[in-house]
Amino acid sequence: MSQTIYLNGEYINRDDAKISIMDRGFLFGDGVYELIPIYNSKPFLINKHLQRLRSSMELVGMRTSSGLTENLEQIMLELISRNQYVNHFFYVHITRGYQSSRNHIYSEDIKHTILIMGEEYKVFSREKLENGFKGCVREDFRWMKSNIKSISLLGNVMLKNYAAQNGFYETLLIRDNKLTEGSASNIFVVKNGQVMTPNLGVELLPGVTRDLLIELFRKNNIVVEETDVTEDDLLTSEEVWCTSSTNYCVPITEIDNKKIGKGNVGDYSYKSYDLISNFISAL
Ligand code: PMP
């Protein structure tokens, strides 16, 4: 089925969309992005995603106008209506834009390229969680600005593909003996009955799902510690799960072929899934 996307002021068929090879996003990976779920035809936590997009743009020195987030929201609502999106996600991609010569130095007045497109998507069912998923651990070799949702994802791509090529769902990343995040997710751990997740900082993305889950846990009187999690904490924990906008809770029951806890999906993992599912159903 043909899909209408938004590119630089125009609503066009996805197959007809073109950008210049001189776009800095293409040449330098010079841009930022967001991925926003759509549940029941409504963009999920859109304000939080657009706030993070604005923050990513500011952190890489891209211009932001006061009406930017309202405009992007309007475009998304228009795309939902034109494409009759129900359970999909939006990919929002903003590059620094077209520049007539390839130069690391960008012109200040360059017009940003804005692309918004949707794709069909279904999160894992609760039944699908039951067997758990396998993870692996690798050194986090990415840059020290992983709090920016940059389109330059080569490090994450390499780390996620290491997992995929070796039969794992996710690569959990360790820097200086501390857990940072997954290659495409944030990580929660239960150790000695305490729910923990790494502190925010330049080493990890401030995940919208991470934030939501902490809020929902706290509302349900479950303490979540945002703290350092060592590699040893991770490997000797009772439960581990990943959170992200595409799959809001994925329990990891084995890391590098060693069981986590008893090797079953634990209560807090199910609780995380249920809290977020219920939150979405109540919207
Ligand atoms: N960390 C990384 C590296 C990611 O790619 C993602 C998913 N985009 C996340 C964390 C989770 O963020 P969110 O919950 O906002 O999708």
Side-chain angles (χ1 to χ4, degrees):
M1 203 183 88
S2 78
Q3 282 238 35
T4 301
I5 62 126
Y6 173 92
L7 180 64
N8 292 334
E10 285 186 294
Y11 292 94
I12 50 175
N13 193 309
R14 189 174 76 174
D15 296 337
D16 299 330
K18 300 219 168 14
I19 60 150
S20 166
I21 57 161
M22 297 312 289
D23 193 282
R24 294 184 61 92
F26 178 69
L27 291 177
F28 293 102
D30 184 354
V32 298
Y33 77 105
E34 273 299 319
L35 191 140
I36 309 176
I38 306 167
Y39 295 116
N40 291 326
S41 303
K42 289 190 213 86
F44 184 57
L45 301 177
I46 188 167
N47 292 336
K48 292 208 169 180
H49 281 284
L50 292 179
Q51 222 174 326
R52 185 172 64 185
L53 182 69
R54 177 182 282 277
S55 153
S56 294
M57 290 175 76
E58 286 167 1
L59 287 165
V60 301
M62 286 167 76
R63 283 185 326 276
T64 53
S65 63
S66 57
L68 174 78
T69 45
E70 290 77 5
N71 289 344
L72 295 176
E73 182 168 358
Q74 270 316 108
I75 295 165
M76 283 186 246
L77 297 179
E78 181 65 30
L79 286 174
I80 288 175
S81 149
R82 287 188 188 223
N83 292 296
Q84 314 223 310
Y85 288 148
V86 185
N87 292 313
H88 292 69
F89 64 76
F90 277 125
Y91 176 71
V92 181
H93 175 109
I94 306 189
T95 79
R96 205 175 300 269
Y98 167 93
Q99 194 165 348
S100 58
S101 64
R102 184 189 176 279
N103 188 337
H104 281 61
I105 300 168
Y106 51 79
S107 321
E108 290 297 338
D109 55 355
I110 168 173
K111 193 159 174 266
H112 300 329
T113 295
I114 303 183
L115 162 70
I116 307 183
M117 59 183 178
E119 216 165 287
E120 192 161 5
Y121 196 74
K122 221 169 164 12
V123 294
F124 290 162
S125 66
R126 201 177 192 278
E127 294 69 56
K128 173 116 173 121
L129 306 190
E130 275 165 19
N131 295 329
F133 290 78
K134 295 178 179 179
C136 57
V137 162
R138 306 297 284 172
E139 185 65 30
D140 191 349
F141 55 70
R142 303 168 306 156
W143 72 333
M144 292 296 276
K145 286 190 187 290
S146 296
N147 54 322
I148 299 172
K149 211 161 164 55
S150 157
I151 62 170
S152 316
L153 283 171
L154 187 54
N156 302 66
V157 165
M158 289 168 70
L159 290 160
K160 186 75 181 181
N161 278 275
Y162 173 84
Q165 286 157 10
N166 291 283
F168 302 112
Y169 171 80
E170 179 60 303
T171 305
L172 287 74
L173 306 175
I174 303 286
R175 188 192 290 276
D176 298 335
N177 189 37
K178 282 184 279 181
L179 175 68
T180 57
E181 60 179 344
S183 69
S185 60
N186 291 114
I187 308 294
F188 285 75
V189 166
V190 179
K191 167 94 182 169
N192 300 328
Q194 171 68 55
V195 182
M196 306 194 294
T197 192
N199 274 316
L200 294 182
V202 293
E203 305 90 348
L204 64 150
L205 191 76
V208 169
T209 321
R210 173 191 181 279
D211 202 40
L212 172 69
L213 185 58
I214 292 174
E215 193 184 312
L216 293 175
F217 267 145
R218 289 185 180 156
K219 275 196 187 141
N220 283 271
N221 301 316
I222 297 168
V223 177
V224 181
E225 250 194 277
E226 293 177 79
T227 184
D228 289 347
V229 178
T230 64
E231 182 168 3
D232 185 60
D233 289 334
L234 173 72
L235 299 177
T236 58
S237 61
E238 294 108 59
E239 288 186 52
V240 175
W241 67 93
C242 311
T243 65
S244 78
S245 294
T246 35
N247 266 308
Y248 45 78
C249 173
V250 180
I252 301 293
T253 48
E254 242 184 71
I255 295 183
D256 289 318
N257 305 316
K258 283 193 222 82
K259 281 183 186 166
I260 293 298
K262 298 194 184 79
N264 303 326
V265 178
D267 292 345
Y268 284 107
S269 306
Y270 279 126
K271 184 91 188 153
S272 303
Y273 187 87
D274 292 341
L275 283 172
I276 299 178
S277 298
N278 294 341
F279 180 84
I280 292 166
S281 309
L283 288 175

